[in-house]
């Protein structure tokens, strides 16, 4: 068993699920894991994938906050509960001295709580990708959201080169789509046009 899997506390079906997931991830064809909210599990997950490259997608905090405001995501995704969960985890002995002061359990307003979560997530990710003051040997690529929006082609070429894969073919339009009709979509995360906060 890899040292990074010691002490997971899993047995039975949970252990079987973890082993199957790792088998899928390390097998062929290659897989991509996308996660935005690992928080205190970041170093554990990356430790289970020691040879895997990491692609870090960043976004300016003001952009994150504006998305939350436009889409009312704090309430839709129950981020108040998420904040309480992360703040409680910060009180575990391993994290207490560093992270508990950054996440006080004081029922903050959504903007304050979101700002705290952004900071803590960034610190945990940086800690997992750097070994002390030195970068780890894990290959990694940082793609700012704003760079992707302004020049998606360049960002996609850089990503495919980093991963050593070819560019995917553009998706064909569905032949079943009626001419002149549009499909209703949730534009919460669309980056192709201007948005105004209601």
């Amino acid at each position: 068993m890899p040292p990074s899997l010691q002490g997971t506390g899993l047995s039975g079906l949970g252990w079987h699920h973890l082993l199957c997931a790792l088998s899928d991830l390390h097998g062929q064809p290659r897989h991509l894991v996308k996660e935005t909210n690992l928080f205190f599990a970041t170093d554990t997950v990356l430790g289970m994938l020691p040879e895997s490259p990491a692609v870090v997608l960043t976004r300016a905090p003001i952009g994150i906050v504006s998305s939350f405001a436009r889409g009312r995501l704090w309430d839709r995704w129950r981020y108040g509960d998420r904040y309480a969960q992360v703040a409680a985890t910060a009180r575990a002995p391993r994290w207490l001295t560093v992270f508990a002061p950054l996440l006080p359990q004081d029922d903050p307003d959504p903007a304050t709580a979101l700002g705290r979560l952004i900071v803590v997530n960034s610190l945990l990710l940086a800690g997992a990708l750097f070994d002390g003051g030195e970068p780890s040997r894990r290959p990694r690529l940082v793609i700012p959201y704003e760079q992707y929006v302004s020049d998606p082609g360049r960002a996609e070429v850089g990503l495919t080169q980093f991963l050593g894969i070819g560019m995917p073919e553009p998706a064909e339009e569905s032949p079943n789509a009626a001419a002149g009709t549009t499909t209703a979509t949730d534009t919460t995360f669309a980056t192709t046009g201007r948005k105004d906060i209601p």
Side-chain angles (χ1 to χ4, degrees):
M1 174 173 26
S4 58
L5 298 183
Q6 302 280 349
T8 60
L10 296 175
S11 62
L13 189 57
W15 182 249
H16 173 74
H17 179 71
L18 174 61
L19 292 181
C20 288
L22 290 174
S23 175
D24 288 343
L25 288 168
H26 291 288
Q28 293 295 330
R30 294 173 66 187
H31 291 259
L32 177 70
V33 178
K34 181 257 185 188
E35 184 51 70
T36 58
N37 285 310
L38 287 172
F39 286 100
F40 295 107
T42 302
D43 58 346
T44 301
V45 171
L46 290 177
M48 290 190 286
L49 305 166
E51 305 298 322
S52 296
V55 179
V56 182
L57 307 175
T58 65
R59 187 172 187 188
I62 191 68
I64 297 172
V65 172
S66 68
S67 284
F68 267 72
R70 281 194 312 270
R72 297 179 296 282
L73 303 184
W74 187 268
D75 295 322
R76 284 172 57 192
W77 291 351
R78 300 177 58 91
Y79 256 74
D81 293 343
R82 185 64 169 144
Y83 178 88
Q85 177 191 42
V86 175
T89 305
R91 275 142 188 80
R94 178 179 177 194
W95 311 108
L96 183 63
T97 57
V98 176
F99 290 102
L102 298 176
L103 294 165
Q105 293 175 311
D106 56 359
D107 193 25
D109 63 273
T112 300
L114 182 59
R116 291 174 182 172
L117 290 174
I118 291 169
V119 168
V120 168
N121 197 31
S122 299
L123 290 172
L124 289 165
L125 183 59
L129 290 175
F130 284 77
D131 183 11
E134 295 296 319
S136 71
R137 288 191 293 256
R138 180 189 305 278
R140 63 192 180 287
L141 174 69
V142 177
I143 302 177
Y145 172 88
E146 296 78 12
Q147 181 187 81
Y148 178 81
V149 171
S150 64
D151 191 353
R154 179 179 169 203
E156 290 167 2
V157 167
L159 176 61
T160 56
Q161 289 176 345
F162 173 73
L163 296 175
I165 59 175
M167 283 288 287
E169 295 294 324
E172 293 182 22
E173 188 172 328
S174 169
N176 297 327
T181 63
T182 58
T183 304
T185 58
D186 182 348
T187 60
T188 300
F189 303 104
T191 59
T192 54
R194 181 172 176 241
K195 296 180 189 173
D196 295 311
I197 297 176

